[in-house]
């Protein structure tokens, strides 16, 4: 018969294995989402700032988390909560510029957080998680060298920050003054902002996956930028203002 010590040790080992499964990590993340006092908002803010000035520092921290906690993905939802707070604040500005009422503002806020940020993030994370695990891993037979879905989602959130600042803050400031007209200079300014935002998103996505030592060929992630630059040139030729289209789309879906 097994002794109580042996059974206790087996139970501890089982709990430890469960803690490192995808389900265990997900439960821990969601549990912390309900406890604001357990979130490190100061560190989340530090990460957001460094995504602009030194994004490599942010991804070095992810490597440190893997060494200390045996997972690449964040275990603290503070970063996601902080993004939601910033999106809610920016939505007030959009509501004023677009002339939305209270109901329109609430609908816009729901769209911007749960569709544009989280929904698109889930889609992007799932796509890149599948592509990197299927085609870019150096050792497909090792469980220790697979891309965590949570990490892929974190990469999206990291890349979303500059895109948010450019398209939801800077664009909003200059929209009525410089962008919302039919002349080519407005199109040049607005589309350049748009192109920089998408380019930053692609670059930080590339940086996130290239930081994983067991992936190869991550340079392919940058290739869509060629298509963006081509479309940017075409848009200037035909005076197609992407920012005005985006604002029109935002208003159309909530009115």
């Amino acid at each position: 018969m097994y002794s109580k010590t042996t059974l206790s040790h087996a139970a501890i080992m089982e709990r430890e294995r469960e803690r490192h499964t995808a389900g265990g990590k997900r439960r821990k993340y969601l549990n912390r989402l309900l406890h604001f006092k357990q979130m490190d908002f100061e560190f989340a803010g530090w990460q957001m700032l460094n995504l602009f000035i030194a994004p490599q520092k942010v991804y070095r921290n992810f490597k440190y988390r893997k060494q200390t906690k045996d997972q690449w993905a964040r275990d603290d939802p503070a970063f996601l909560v902080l993004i939601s707070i910033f999106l809610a604040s920016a939505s007030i500005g959009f509501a004023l510029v677009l002339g939305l009422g209270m109901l329109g503002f609430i609908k816009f806020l729901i769209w911007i957080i749960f569709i544009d940020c989280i929904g698109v993030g889930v889609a992007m994370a799932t796509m890149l998680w599948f592509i990197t695990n299927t085609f870019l891993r150096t050792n497909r037979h090792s469980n220790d060298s697979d891309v965590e879905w949570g990490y892929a989602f974190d990469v999206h959130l990291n890349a979303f920050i500059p895109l948010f600042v450019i398209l939801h803050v800077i664009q909003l400031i200059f929209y009525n003054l410089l962008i919302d007209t039919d002349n080519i200079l407005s199109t040049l300014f607005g589309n350049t902002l748009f192109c920089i935002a998408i380019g930053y998103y692609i670059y930080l996505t590339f940086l996130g996956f290239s930081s994983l030592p067991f992936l190869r060929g991550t340079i392919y992630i940058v290739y869509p930028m060629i298509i963006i630059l081509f479309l940017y040139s075409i848009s200037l030729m035909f005076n197609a203002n992407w920012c005005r289209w985006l604002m029109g789309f935002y208003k159309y879906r909530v009115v």
Side-chain angles (χ1 to χ4, degrees):
M1 296 180 64
Y2 292 105
S3 66
K4 291 184 178 180
T5 302
T6 303
L7 290 173
S8 177
H9 179 71
I12 293 172
M13 292 297 294
E14 180 62 29
R15 285 198 300 269
E16 186 68 15
R17 282 194 295 269
E18 170 63 20
R19 189 172 67 87
H20 289 289
T21 63
K25 293 174 182 177
R26 182 169 58 251
R27 282 192 293 273
K28 180 181 178 182
Y29 187 90
L30 293 175
N31 182 59
R32 292 190 69 175
L33 192 59
L34 302 176
H35 299 85
F36 268 58
K37 292 183 179 180
Q38 296 181 12
M39 299 185 200
D40 191 347
F41 290 105
E42 182 178 351
F43 181 63
W46 175 89
Q47 288 183 312
M48 289 182 176
L49 177 62
N50 277 279
L51 285 169
F52 287 96
I53 60 179
Q56 292 85 356
K57 286 185 179 180
V58 177
Y59 285 111
R60 279 200 295 270
N61 179 263
F62 277 84
K63 291 180 181 179
Y64 177 74
R65 184 182 299 107
K66 175 62 176 177
Q67 294 169 356
T68 57
K69 298 184 178 181
D70 195 31
Q71 71 177 64
W72 289 95
R74 291 185 177 97
D75 58 352
D76 185 352
F79 196 89
L80 177 59
V81 172
L82 210 53
I83 289 178
S84 299
I85 293 172
F86 290 153
L87 285 172
S89 301
S91 296
I92 298 174
F94 272 95
L96 293 174
V97 171
L98 296 175
L100 303 178
M102 180 57 68
L103 180 59
F105 164 73
I106 294 173
K107 290 167 66 177
F108 182 87
L109 181 61
I110 293 172
W111 266 97
I112 212 74
I113 293 178
F114 294 102
I115 304 299
D116 295 349
C117 180
I118 298 177
V120 171
V122 168
M124 289 295 297
T126 302
M127 180 183 70
L128 289 170
W129 169 79
F130 174 78
I131 291 174
T132 52
N133 277 320
T134 305
F135 303 108
L136 303 184
R137 280 201 298 164
T138 55
N139 184 1
R140 300 181 187 178
H141 303 292
S142 173
N143 291 330
D144 293 329
S145 62
D146 65 322
V147 179
E148 301 169 10
W149 186 92
Y151 178 78
F153 186 70
D154 281 337
V155 169
H156 159 75
L157 292 180
N158 290 343
F160 185 83
I161 290 298
L163 183 144
F164 159 74
V165 170
I166 294 170
L167 294 184
H168 288 234
V169 179
I170 297 176
Q171 177 195 211
L172 202 59
I173 293 172
F174 292 101
Y175 185 74
N176 288 327
L177 182 64
L178 296 175
I179 298 174
D180 191 22
T181 63
D182 293 323
N183 65 68
I184 188 63
L185 291 179
S186 297
T187 300
L188 175 64
F189 181 76
N191 288 15
T192 299
L193 281 181
F194 206 100
C195 198
I196 291 172
I198 299 299
Y200 223 133
Y201 183 93
I202 292 174
Y203 170 68
L204 288 182
T205 300
F206 158 74
L207 200 62
F209 287 102
S210 65
S211 298
L212 299 179
F214 49 82
L215 294 183
R216 54 176 173 78
T218 52
I219 190 64
Y220 292 119
I221 295 173
V222 181
Y223 285 5
M225 197 61 208
I226 298 174
I227 300 174
I228 299 299
L229 291 174
F230 173 75
L231 294 175
Y232 171 74
S233 302
I234 297 297
S235 72
L236 297 181
M237 291 173 58
F238 291 94
N239 195 22
N241 194 317
W242 290 347
C243 287
R244 294 183 77 186
W245 289 359
L246 179 66
M247 294 292 276
F249 171 70
Y250 279 166
K251 188 170 185 177
Y252 171 78
R253 69 184 184 182
V254 299
V255 173

